[in-house]
Amino acid sequence: MDVTAYLMFDGRCEEAFQFYERCLGGKIQRLVRYSDMPDCPPEMKQAVGDRIAHVNLKVDGCMLMGSDSGDPQKYPHEGYKGFSVCINSQDVDQAEKVFQALSEQATTITMPLSKTSWSERFGMLVDRYGVEWMVNVDMRG
């Protein structure tokens, strides 16, 4: 069994996942637009245009998935609440590189990446898309 974060966007999913691909060093495996779906109702295709129906980004054997809302009336939303996407690394340099990349135009650096009592490095931020991230260096190896 796998547990995977699935992020919903308001029309910026493709832009966000291109950013995450660059920041995390992953590769977008699949990107499907609502307009490409043969079973998508015509009224929905008209309402959502070329928004993303599904995308998955593979990073070191893990998957991050997302889409744009199929109901544009649900957005703009008030941001993600009650969760963070957590990146665990065993490499301090890698964690610093990822944190720096995700920080580009971040709305909030909640906790700068630094040494803590439980980790060689730990930091938290809210990226330019409103997604909360935690970057942790897990040295238990």
Side-chain angles (χ1 to χ4, degrees), residues 88-90 118-120 136-141:
N88 284 300
S89 176
Q90 294 184 345
W118 68 87
S119 175
E120 283 299 310
N136 184 61
V137 176
D138 185 355
M139 301 300 282
R140 293 176 289 162

Side-chain angles (χ1 to χ4, degrees), residues 85-110:
V85 179
C86 186
I87 297 170
N88 284 300
S89 176
Q90 294 184 345
D91 182 278
V92 171
D93 291 338
Q94 179 186 46
E96 289 175 348
K97 181 180 173 185
V98 167
F99 191 86
Q100 182 66 34
L102 288 170
S103 296
E104 184 181 312
Q105 297 179 14
T107 60
T108 307
I109 304 296
T110 311

Side-chain angles (χ1 to χ4, degrees), residues 4-124:
T4 302
Y6 198 100
L7 305 175
M8 298 294 292
F9 295 88
D10 62 353
R12 297 179 71 191
C13 181
E14 184 171 12
E15 176 187 330
F17 270 75
Q18 288 172 351
F19 177 69
Y20 299 148
E21 182 179 46
R22 182 172 51 84
C23 291
L24 303 175
K27 181 75 177 150
I28 292 175
Q29 301 289 302
R30 186 167 188 214
L31 187 141
V32 179
R33 299 177 189 286
Y34 287 101
S35 60
D36 295 334
M37 298 171 53
D39 54 347
C40 186
E43 61 277 2
M44 186 173 183
K45 280 186 183 184
Q46 183 177 1
V48 297
D50 279 339
R51 287 179 175 229
I52 304 305
H54 177 76
V55 62
N56 61 315
L57 172 66
K58 189 171 185 179
V59 181
D60 291 336
C62 296
M63 198 69 66
L64 180 65
M65 294 191 249
S67 68
D68 287 313
S69 173
D71 181 358
Q73 301 304 314
K74 285 187 174 180
Y75 291 90
H77 58 75
E78 295 179 23
Y80 299 95
K81 302 228 185 298
F83 78 96
S84 296
V85 179
C86 186
I87 297 170
N88 284 300
S89 176
Q90 294 184 345
D91 182 278
V92 171
D93 291 338
Q94 179 186 46
E96 289 175 348
K97 181 180 173 185
V98 167
F99 191 86
Q100 182 66 34
L102 288 170
S103 296
E104 184 181 312
Q105 297 179 14
T107 60
T108 307
I109 304 296
T110 311
M111 181 178 174
L113 192 68
S114 58
K115 185 171 176 57
T116 66
S117 60
W118 68 87
S119 175
E120 283 299 310
R121 298 288 185 283
F122 178 81
M124 299 168 52

